[in-house]
Amino acid sequence: MKLSSIIPAPELHYFTLLLVTGLYTPGRGEITSLDAGNIDDILNSAGVALVNFYADWCRFSQMLHPIFEESSNIVREEYPDATQVVFARVDCDQHSDIAQRYRISKYPTLKLFRNGMMMKREYRGQRSVTAIADFIRQQKVDPIKVIENLEEISTVDRSRRTIIGYFENKDSDNYRTYEKVANILRDDCVFLASFGEVSKPERFSGDNIIYKPMGENAPDMVYMGSLTHFDLSYAWTQDKCVPLVREITFENGEELTEEGIPFLILFHQRDDTESLEKFQQEVARQLISEKGSINFLHADCDKFRHPLLHIQKTPADCPVIAIDSFRHMYVFPEFSDLAFPGKLRQFVLDLHSGKLHREFHHGPDPTDSTPGQPEEASNPPESSFQKLAPSETRYTILRDRDEL
């Protein structure tokens, strides 16, 4: 494999020059090496930390070292306060306990931390000095928009989930907690805040936070917990901002695939919100206990034509429900079957019990076959979304995924 296919030309030239001149050695840049003795203190005290989990023998890790260090040097000039931004690294061979703690399954892995909390979304962008530095700059942008007039609330985009905080002043523990939560969930919700006289009409019982769901007629929801209790505030906001049924896109497909649990997917037309709402309702009603063992997703039929064709469907057939186990894909009989109590849940349970996979090899279970009819094995296609998993042209993959 050519380096030019992995590293952009400017960084490739820089990397090659360091190797040829013998000037590059790991640790030369302003990178903090983490170990069991310092990792918690360093990450907890850093507003933003980007940590490179690497192995010296991994060629992709070797390529990233000088780029990561140069990115750190550039960012350090813009954010000289060492507590604002930290670039750090973990040698996973030397500190396998840390690698296991953060479930590292590929090298290199760049994970983002805020005040010691690991963010769900790791850095998966271009491995260039410019791209990494830009990523950190984006993380330092204040995610909270200040409302100067309460009339602005009427223009809130109701196609997005919105959290609004009303505070007496910015220099308060209430707002600092709100700010911390907003930074963590900045990719999942819009965060707004107003202060002083502007917010006074909404502070009849003191500082407060409300959630505006998607949809013009959806009623607001008020946070009733302690405004200074981070764990309570974060849990409430996460529940509102991160939907049970998430949309899968080509941008987040790798991230979702790497979570390692099967997909239950609704394929629907972009403007078919009715089918999506029905699917969301049934997932919440039947499958809330399965959260953590399967990912509930929805996908745009037109954008994901290939997986549909893989299961012998087209966008004209949507809405379509299917499971991708990362080994095979299984199609839910009919979307209208959602109306039958427990049928969607049984579909998922049949995956977990191995029934769907068993029938693939051996045909229907004897109890399910119709008397007088021959038993034929089904032929579900191979996984389509597995192809969105981290690529071996960018990572050294440590282990294979368990397959169902």
Side-chain angles (χ1 to χ4, degrees), residues 1 9 26 34 63 79 83 93-94 106 113 124 146 164 204 224 239 259 270 304 319 339 345 349 353 355 389:
M1 180 184 299
L34 301 179
M63 293 174 193
Y79 303 98
T83 63
D93 280 341
Q94 296 294 321
K106 64 187 187 308
F113 293 78
R124 298 175 187 269
V146 176
I164 307 175
F204 47 87
M224 303 300 291
D239 179 65
E259 289 182 13
R270 171 59 63 181
F304 286 89
R345 175 176 173 78
L349 293 180
S353 70
K355 180 179 178 181

Side-chain angles (χ1 to χ4, degrees), residues 18-269:
L18 290 175
L19 290 179
V20 170
T21 58
L23 295 177
Y24 172 67
T25 54
R28 188 175 184 275
E30 292 190 40
I31 310 295
T32 302
S33 293
L34 301 179
D35 56 40
N38 68 5
I39 186 169
D40 290 328
D41 288 341
I42 290 174
L43 295 183
N44 288 340
S45 62
V48 172
L50 187 63
V51 182
N52 176 17
F53 293 85
Y54 74 97
D56 279 331
W57 49 264
C58 166
R59 68 184 187 279
F60 301 114
S61 295
Q62 294 165 7
M63 293 174 193
L64 181 61
H65 280 317
I67 297 169
F68 193 68
E69 290 177 2
E70 183 60 23
S71 301
S72 171
N73 293 336
I74 290 174
V75 171
R76 179 68 61 242
E77 293 178 3
E78 299 178 29
Y79 303 98
D81 184 345
T83 63
Q84 282 191 299
V85 179
V86 169
F87 275 67
R89 59 161 57 103
V90 174
D91 183 334
C92 293
D93 280 341
Q94 296 294 321
H95 304 289
S96 58
D97 55 332
I98 297 178
Q100 291 174 5
R101 173 179 172 182
Y102 293 108
R103 302 181 64 184
I104 303 303
S105 60
K106 64 187 187 308
Y107 300 140
T109 292
L110 296 179
K111 287 193 175 289
L112 182 72
F113 293 78
R114 289 184 178 277
N115 304 111
M117 178 179 288
M118 183 180 74
M119 300 296 95
K120 191 169 187 178
R121 295 179 178 90
E122 64 189 52
Y123 178 77
R124 298 175 187 269
Q126 187 180 36
R127 291 175 189 164
S128 73
V129 173
T130 300
I132 294 175
D134 283 345
F135 173 72
I136 294 300
R137 293 187 189 103
Q138 292 167 8
Q139 300 305 312
K140 294 300 293 179
V141 173
D142 191 344
I144 303 172
K145 178 186 176 184
V146 176
I147 300 170
E148 303 295 348
N149 189 316
L150 288 184
E151 292 181 1
E152 295 178 34
I153 301 298
S154 63
T155 64
V156 166
D157 182 357
R158 296 310 295 266
S159 68
R160 302 189 64 186
R161 297 171 177 82
T162 303
I163 305 290
I164 307 175
Y166 300 101
F167 303 94
E168 184 174 359
N169 61 73
K170 208 170 188 178
D171 185 19
S172 65
D173 290 338
N174 286 349
Y175 181 71
R176 278 187 283 272
T177 302
Y178 182 73
E179 190 175 36
K180 187 175 179 181
V181 171
N183 268 302
I184 294 171
L185 295 171
R186 59 169 58 214
D187 295 327
D188 301 297
C189 261
V190 174
F191 288 87
L192 307 175
S194 65
F195 305 93
E197 288 301 313
V198 175
S199 65
K200 191 173 182 180
E202 298 291 336
R203 290 189 290 104
F204 47 87
S205 59
D207 291 356
N208 69 90
I209 297 171
I210 68 165
Y211 166 61
K212 284 188 173 295
M214 297 168 63
E216 291 294 336
N217 300 318
D220 295 347
M221 302 177 69
V222 181
Y223 173 60
M224 303 300 291
S226 167
L227 295 180
T228 58
H229 195 299
F230 170 76
D231 290 338
L232 289 178
S233 181
Y234 173 71
W236 181 85
T237 309
Q238 183 186 45
D239 179 65
K240 303 299 178 285
C241 292
V242 182
L244 181 61
V245 179
R246 296 177 285 175
E247 181 176 14
I248 184 169
T249 65
F250 291 114
E251 289 72 29
N252 68 4
E254 180 180 281
E255 168 194 326
L256 290 171
T257 303
E258 196 177 7
E259 289 182 13
I261 56 178
F263 292 171
L264 175 67
I265 311 174
L266 167 69
F267 296 92
H268 67 104
Q269 299 289 351

